[in-house]
Amino acid sequence: MKTTTTTAASTSFTNPISHEESIMTAHTTARPASTRPAGAQFAAPRTLVAPSWRPALAAFASLALAAAVTTGCGDEDPGMTSGTHTFDPAGQTGTGEVEPGTPNQPTVVNPPQENPDVPVDTIEDPVEELPPVEEPGEDEGSVQPEPADDVEPEPEVAEPEVPEPSYVVPRGGWTALAAGSLHACGIHEGALYCWGNNSNGQVGQPASDPVLVPTLVPAPADGLGDAAWTTVHTGLNHSCATRGDALYCWGQNQHGQVGDGTDIERHAPVLVPAPAGTSGWQSLAVGGSHNCAIADGAVYCWGGNAFRQLGDGNWQPRANPAPVLDPVGFEGSAEPWTYLVAGSYHTCGLRADELFCWGYNINGQIGDGGFSSRDRPTRVAIPEATIVQSKSGGAEPDVVETVPNGWDLIAAGGHHTCAQRVDGTWCWGQNSDGQLGVGAGPRSTVPVHQDNGLVWDSLTAGFQQTCGTTGGDLYCWGRNLDGRLGDGTTTGRNLPGRVEATAFTEERLQHAALGEDATPLWETADAGDYYTCGLWHGHLLCTGFNGLGSLGNGTLDGQLLFDTVVVPTTPELLSQR
């Protein structure tokens, strides 16, 4: 129903990724490295802090010394006095290097010195001679006396086996997700799963009642064998995904949104051919009932067009991809399109560092200062980007410098749009529930700046809510009547608020008990119409409305928190539920 962030660079379909690699979907992906000018007064994202194991290190050193004394062994035991070890005092586990200890030195009694001038038989109280003590060689350790024959040596104390840390959360297998209107899809270890509303076969199965758990979408017979799915996208009642360099869509096709040249509903993935003469599709954006994609720098759109969202100059739907018109004032430009997102009934894209939108504009979501829908790309009315350069530590007046926009994230929702550039995040359109993240206020037909200092790594816009990740943290704001913000309440927010992955609270508390920084591990999020899903360290969590199974938790019960891990329904994984 909406589209969320992509990276500023085109998302390529030609190099499938595995689940070990970084998250990559056309809906929400990691932001590329920032190129913000030096000295810009703009906060950087939080840095993940590597664990420290000093408390366990000190405890282990004490234990090693005590064990060496107990054995009575004078030789240095490399297994106890040096090396890397694992220690578990009171259930806490850590690793660290232990400094070599000082070996225990036995007390040696030296024999008396003999006088060569005195006969031995004239000595009255002879002292029993002890065997001479051999000095240790250069590579030998200290020598301890031989034990008496009737004394059994102390048994050697074996180093106890320490179990693997139980609080460490293994990485999950989810690498991509897409939250549609009331159904969702995700990629788990290269396989594609969908769940939720299936009124039009949008979960990749024959139309049916809601599908309550992630269900495998059969791979098409395209000769690619077991090739992994790479990106997935969802709309109102249809879905699209890429595999290799091929694009497939399925579900409702009333407006030609499947892109196969017909209006026949499809219950399994159908190939969408790339335009003739192009090298293939490079990126994709899916809206409510329309899609747009980039092929060799040009934008093509298809599907519903009642609100001019195809950008082709008219309002007729299209069952095949058709080129988008050039923006007003940029006719004939050879600059390629590099970025696309789609909201419910509007579309936005990036071309030559300029942001354009088109389609439905009843709440100002196009951002051109008016409320008229646009049938071709129209430039967003935003001032030039500026940054403040501080001079001489404040001794001289600051200098405001105009710089390239540097757009790197865009998110289009139901009736609002947000985008991030070098000088921060800007939002425009409907603000009835605070979804612009700028506080309470009316809708805005031009971009309004979010004055919060946050630099987003990913950004997503739903029907009336917005979410973003930064440095492993997840923030959400906007409407929350059904718990779609995931903060445990039904109270909305008009400013970004931090959200926890409560399904992993216990593990994070155990980290904190060790003195560790319990750094969140949110990687990305995607906002549907009335619910939100996110990836936490490869685990899929959802919150909000669940009347048609869009949370994938096996029930129709809604949630106010991200407290249930969504698991695919394959035979080998069912046992983990």
Side-chain angles (χ1 to χ4, degrees):
M1 188 67 177
K2 62 344 93 278
T3 315
T4 56
T5 96
T6 64
T7 58
S10 296
T11 300
S12 174
F13 296 159
T14 59
N15 296 312
I17 62 172
S18 65
H19 70 281
E20 291 86 6
E21 295 176 311
S22 60
I23 303 303
M24 183 175 180
T25 80
H27 274 205
T28 309
T29 59
R31 177 175 57 85
S34 175
T35 56
R36 304 185 188 284
Q41 294 180 350
F42 202 53
R46 291 180 52 191
T47 301
L48 302 183
V49 179
S52 168
W53 301 101
R54 295 189 182 278
L57 170 62
F60 182 83
S62 298
L63 178 63
L65 180 58
V69 173
T70 301
T71 61
C73 178
D75 291 336
E76 177 180 345
D77 180 0
M80 292 297 293
T81 60
S82 64
T84 301
H85 302 278
T86 306
F87 175 62
D88 188 5
Q92 300 175 5
T93 304
T95 60
E97 291 195 6
V98 180
E99 294 293 335
T102 301
N104 299 322
Q105 300 293 339
T107 302
V108 179
V109 179
N110 292 322
Q113 297 296 322
E114 295 184 20
N115 187 344
D117 297 329
V118 180
V120 175
D121 58 358
T122 64
I123 300 176
E124 292 184 355
D125 295 316
V127 178
E128 182 179 358
E129 293 185 7
L130 296 176
V133 178
E134 296 180 3
E135 293 297 326
E138 183 177 347
D139 297 327
E140 295 176 347
S142 58
V143 178
Q144 86 179 39
E146 292 290 337
D149 293 340
D150 58 346
V151 179
E152 294 185 2
E154 291 285 342
E156 293 185 3
V157 179
E159 185 176 349
E161 293 185 5
V162 181
E164 289 293 324
S166 60
Y167 60 85
V168 174
V169 182
R171 178 171 179 79
W174 294 99
T175 56
L177 69 96
S181 176
L182 289 169
H183 78 288
C185 297
I187 298 173
H188 186 279
E189 297 184 352
L192 179 61
Y193 298 84
C194 294
W195 59 94
N197 181 27
N198 194 36
S199 58
N200 300 96
Q202 57 263 49
V203 303
Q205 307 290 332
S208 66
D209 291 336
V211 176
L212 305 185
V213 292
T215 302
L216 185 69
V217 176
D222 54 6
L224 296 179
D226 296 329
W229 294 91
T230 51
T231 66
V232 62
H233 320 259
T234 48
L236 179 65
N237 290 310
H238 77 290
S239 308
C240 297
T242 60
R243 189 169 182 255
D245 59 356
L247 169 62
Y248 298 87
C249 294
W250 62 96
Q252 188 181 51
N253 200 21
Q254 178 182 358
H255 306 290
Q257 57 263 54
V258 169
D260 64 348
T262 77
D263 60 0
I264 300 172
E265 188 170 281
R266 304 295 184 180
H267 299 161
V270 175
L271 181 68
V272 181
T278 67
S279 60
W281 300 112
Q282 280 83 53
S283 68
L284 172 69
V286 173
S289 61
H290 76 289
N291 313 301
C292 293
I294 298 175
D296 294 350
V299 174
Y300 298 80
C301 295
W302 65 98
N305 198 24
F307 300 100
R308 318 307 198 260
Q309 62 264 45
L310 299 189
D312 61 357
N314 64 63
W315 52 270
Q316 296 291 334
R318 292 185 178 275
N320 291 296
V324 170
L325 297 177
D326 283 331
V328 176
F330 292 82
E331 292 83 358
S333 171
E335 292 289 344
W337 292 90
T338 56
Y339 195 135
L340 284 178
V341 297
S344 293
Y345 303 108
H346 73 291
T347 313
C348 297
L350 189 63
R351 187 178 187 183
D353 202 34
E354 294 286 352
L355 182 57
F356 301 89
C357 293
W358 59 96
Y360 200 33
N361 197 29
I362 191 172
N363 282 295
Q365 57 263 48
I366 299 302
D368 65 346
F371 294 104
S372 299
S373 296
R374 302 297 181 182
D375 62 5
R376 65 189 302 167
T378 302
R379 186 182 181 277
V380 174
I382 186 171
E384 292 182 311
T386 59
I387 60 172
V388 177
Q389 297 285 4
S390 180
K391 299 293 184 179
S392 303
E396 299 179 19
D398 291 340
V399 175
V400 178
E401 180 183 355
T402 300
V403 296
N405 288 322
W407 296 105
D408 61 0
L409 293 176
I410 314 171
H415 296 274
H416 72 291
T417 309
C418 290
Q420 179 174 268
R421 65 178 188 178
V422 69
D423 58 353
T425 300
W426 300 74
C427 294
W428 57 97
Q430 188 182 48
N431 197 37
S432 57
D433 295 275
Q435 56 264 54
L436 300 188
V438 296
R443 62 188 178 182
S444 178
T445 61
V446 294
V448 181
H449 188 251
Q450 279 190 1
D451 189 18
N452 52 35
L454 294 170
V455 181
W456 303 112
D457 298 320
S458 70
L459 198 60
T460 177
F463 189 63
Q464 293 167 306
Q465 82 273 28
T466 314
C467 295
T469 61
T470 177
D473 281 316
L474 173 63
Y475 291 79
C476 291
W477 58 98
R479 188 173 179 82
N480 196 28
L481 182 63
D482 34 34
R484 69 188 79 170
L485 301 188
D487 62 357
T489 76
T490 56
T491 303
R493 295 176 174 175
N494 55 32
L495 294 171
R498 192 166 175 264
V499 181
E500 302 287 350
T502 52
F504 296 101
T505 297
E506 181 178 349
E507 287 79 5
R508 292 189 59 215
L509 289 176
Q510 291 184 44
H511 275 289
L514 290 175
E516 302 299 332
D517 175 47
T519 303
L521 295 169
W522 286 107
E523 296 162 337
T524 189
D526 202 17
D529 274 4
Y530 313 106
Y531 68 103
T532 304
C533 294
L535 292 184
W536 189 92
H537 195 46
H539 297 275
L540 178 59
L541 309 172
C542 297
T543 184
F545 177 75
N546 196 32
L548 291 174
S550 51
L551 302 189
N553 61 11
T555 75
L556 293 175
D557 299 328
Q559 296 180 186
L560 302 181
L561 295 164
F562 289 98
D563 60 1
T564 302
V565 179
V566 181
V567 180
T569 52
T570 56
E572 61 271 21
L573 292 175
L574 276 174
S575 60
Q576 301 179 17
R577 293 187 62 84

